[in-house]
Amino acid sequence: MLMNNYSRASVSFVRGKGATLWDKGGKDYIDFASGIGVCALGHSHKGVEKVISKQAKTLLHTSNLYNITPQSKLADKISNMLGGGYELFFANSGAEANECAIKLARKFGFIKGRKSEIISLKNSFHGRTIATLAMTGQNKFHPDEFGAYPDGFKFYDDIDEIIKNLNQNTAAVIIELVQGEGGINPLDKAKVQELARILKQRDILLITDEVQCGVYRTGEFVTSKLYDITPDIITFAKGLGNGVPISACASRVSIFKPGDHGSTFGGGFLVTSVAEYVLSQLSRLKNSGKLDKKIAKFEKNLDKLVEQNSDIFLKRVGLGLMQGIVVKDSNLLSKIVSKALECGVLVLRSGDSTLRFLPPLNLSKKEMKDGFARLKLAISEIKK
């Protein structure tokens, strides 16, 4: 028997292809969620299948006590894609990548003679381990039954408040450039740039949590590029492995020594081989101009949906293919998600009032068209 920690929909999927899933009854669904932003190349991608099969025939695991060639190749690839100068640590989830960032920040603060204070935003989400929950700013993720939470974390409403409260104990500031669980809320570019400038002046680390918004999800490999900033630490996960569990912490701060951090399964042969292939395919999609065209088309469809249903939708929010529609009545949000599922399209919720869209980045024209047709049907049925 499974633990009762998920509110699952009453559907079981048995196969998928591209952005289409089929349940055990044979009904098909258009996936505008891609496993919460994970399956960037969609389901059952032939290239990913080949990489998995090929690697499974040679080695799956030897541990990080020995050199892992595909891990080194992936580290070099990511560092080069970031412009060079980054060291990589690979783990299995976004929370683990952020745990690595926490330890880097605390050691950095120790070296600089500071305490280990890390600041984040009140509307943030950084993971479900005890430490990453403590770093998450939303009160609903701090129930008393999981206390006591580690200290050393502070939260402020906005970037102006963060800047005002920087002090001699501040080791790092962590931000999501687009808040994935906080309403698909992109931060203000000018404010982010001001924060980056001040942190550099004061020798305080800037960490960008790009677990959800990174790996081309917002149109560039890192959302940091859209904001014209160079973070000291960047964390990745979700779309990096197209379904295999891999995350990464990229750091320009070189302070770890052997024994400071580790992972039994992190960065193994299978996941790093797959991730290297995924990045090559997504880079090709971006460089061909196809990704930008898909983003523009998807945004156009969303804008039209808002315009045609202005009685229930307020506005579109987000960047790239990390999009949301703000619902005027938050009580409707769950109804829309459920009715959309009935009509054969998967969508998500974010925060209290945002309908979230994270489709595969190689979403086909037909799947996009069919998905929006089904979503329109769901909305029309709710409005009856």
Side-chain angles (χ1 to χ4, degrees):
M1 180 180 291
L2 293 169
M3 289 187 182
N4 185 32
N5 57 317
Y6 296 110
S7 297
R8 303 179 195 269
S10 57
V11 60
S12 298
F13 299 114
V14 295
R15 66 186 179 95
K17 188 68 179 177
T20 305
L21 290 163
W22 286 265
D23 66 19
K24 57 186 180 182
K27 180 179 176 179
D28 66 278
Y29 302 76
I30 302 301
D31 188 1
F32 278 179
S34 59
I36 315 184
V38 169
C39 300
L41 292 174
H43 304 283
S44 300
H45 189 278
K46 289 184 178 179
V48 173
E49 291 175 12
K50 289 180 180 178
V51 173
I52 292 174
S53 178
K54 181 180 178 181
Q55 189 59 54
K57 292 176 181 178
T58 55
L59 278 173
L60 289 180
H61 181 77
T62 61
S63 91
N64 282 299
L65 295 175
Y66 313 99
N67 292 321
I68 300 172
T69 299
Q71 183 186 106
S72 298
K73 286 179 62 178
L74 180 60
D76 290 344
K77 186 180 188 74
I78 291 176
S79 182
N80 289 336
M81 292 175 74
L82 293 172
Y86 283 86
E87 295 180 348
L88 275 292
F89 173 81
F90 295 104
N92 310 284
S93 69
E96 289 180 57
N98 283 336
E99 287 272 359
C100 179
I102 290 170
K103 290 177 77 173
L104 281 166
R106 289 191 165 186
K107 183 167 185 177
F108 177 83
F110 180 84
I111 291 170
K112 296 293 182 178
R114 302 179 184 137
K115 292 184 180 179
S116 55
E117 182 179 283
I118 299 174
I119 296 175
S120 65
L121 287 164
K122 284 187 178 178
N123 201 37
S124 64
F125 178 80
H126 298 293
R128 292 186 182 272
T129 64
I130 291 297
T132 55
L133 281 175
M135 190 166 65
T136 291
Q138 299 183 61
N139 285 332
K140 67 181 180 181
F141 290 106
H142 304 148
D144 292 341
E145 57 262 36
F146 297 140
Y149 295 92
D151 58 13
F153 301 102
K154 290 187 176 179
F155 325 106
Y156 296 101
D157 289 325
D158 53 38
I159 289 177
D160 287 336
E161 286 295 311
I162 289 179
I163 292 172
K164 287 179 185 178
N165 286 279
L166 296 173
N167 60 76
Q168 70 276 12
N169 295 323
T170 309
V173 173
I174 183 168
I175 53 175
E176 301 162 274
L177 295 169
V178 184
Q179 295 175 325
E181 304 299 325
I184 314 298
N185 176 37
L187 301 186
D188 180 83
K189 183 175 180 178
K191 295 292 185 182
V192 169
Q193 290 179 333
E194 181 185 11
L195 175 65
R197 178 180 56 80
I198 291 172
L199 294 182
K200 186 174 182 180
Q201 287 176 348
R202 299 183 62 165
D203 200 19
I204 298 171
L205 297 180
L206 172 60
I207 307 168
T208 56
D209 177 341
E210 304 208 23
V211 166
Q212 189 167 149
C213 70
V215 194
Y216 293 103
R217 173 56 57 185
T218 55
E220 296 288 349
F221 174 54
V222 281
T223 308
S224 316
K225 184 174 181 179
L226 292 173
Y227 281 76
D228 295 321
I229 59 170
T230 304
D232 299 294
I233 299 172
I234 308 173
T235 56
F236 304 95
K238 291 193 179 291
L240 187 58
N242 207 64
V244 299
I246 182 171
S247 65
C249 179
S251 175
R252 299 173 71 210
V253 181
S254 181
I255 54 177
F256 272 173
K257 67 178 189 299
D260 276 352
H261 198 47
S263 171
T264 298
F265 295 106
F269 285 89
L270 181 67
V271 295
T272 51
S273 295
V274 171
E276 197 279 331
Y277 174 79
V278 169
L279 288 183
S280 69
Q281 293 302 301
L282 293 177
S283 296
R284 185 176 301 174
L285 186 67
K286 171 65 178 177
N287 294 335
S288 69
K290 292 180 180 179
L291 178 59
D292 292 337
K293 289 180 180 178
K294 290 181 190 295
I295 290 170
K297 184 67 173 177
F298 202 86
E299 288 179 344
K300 185 177 181 180
N301 275 282
L302 286 175
D303 288 338
K304 187 175 181 181
L305 192 67
V306 172
E307 181 183 350
Q308 292 175 339
N309 298 278
S310 59
D311 53 331
I312 62 172
F313 295 132
L314 183 63
K315 61 180 178 179
R316 175 177 65 83
V317 291
L319 293 173
L321 288 176
M322 184 176 179
Q323 292 286 338
I325 297 178
V326 179
V327 181
K328 290 182 177 180
D329 181 358
S330 59
N331 294 320
L332 276 180
L333 188 56
S334 293
K335 293 180 182 179
I336 295 172
V337 173
S338 296
K339 182 59 69 173
L341 182 65
E342 288 180 25
C343 293
V345 58
L346 276 61
V347 290
L348 302 163
R349 60 180 300 156
S350 175
D352 296 325
S353 57
T354 302
L355 189 65
R356 175 168 41 164
F357 301 84
L358 302 168
L361 304 186
N362 60 349
L363 179 70
S364 72
K365 291 180 180 179
K366 184 179 185 305
E367 288 169 323
M368 189 185 300
K369 181 180 178 181
D370 290 348
F372 276 104
R374 296 177 186 194
L375 185 57
K376 289 175 183 177
L377 175 61
I379 293 168
S380 68
E381 290 189 4
I382 286 175
K383 293 168 69 172
K384 285 181 180 177

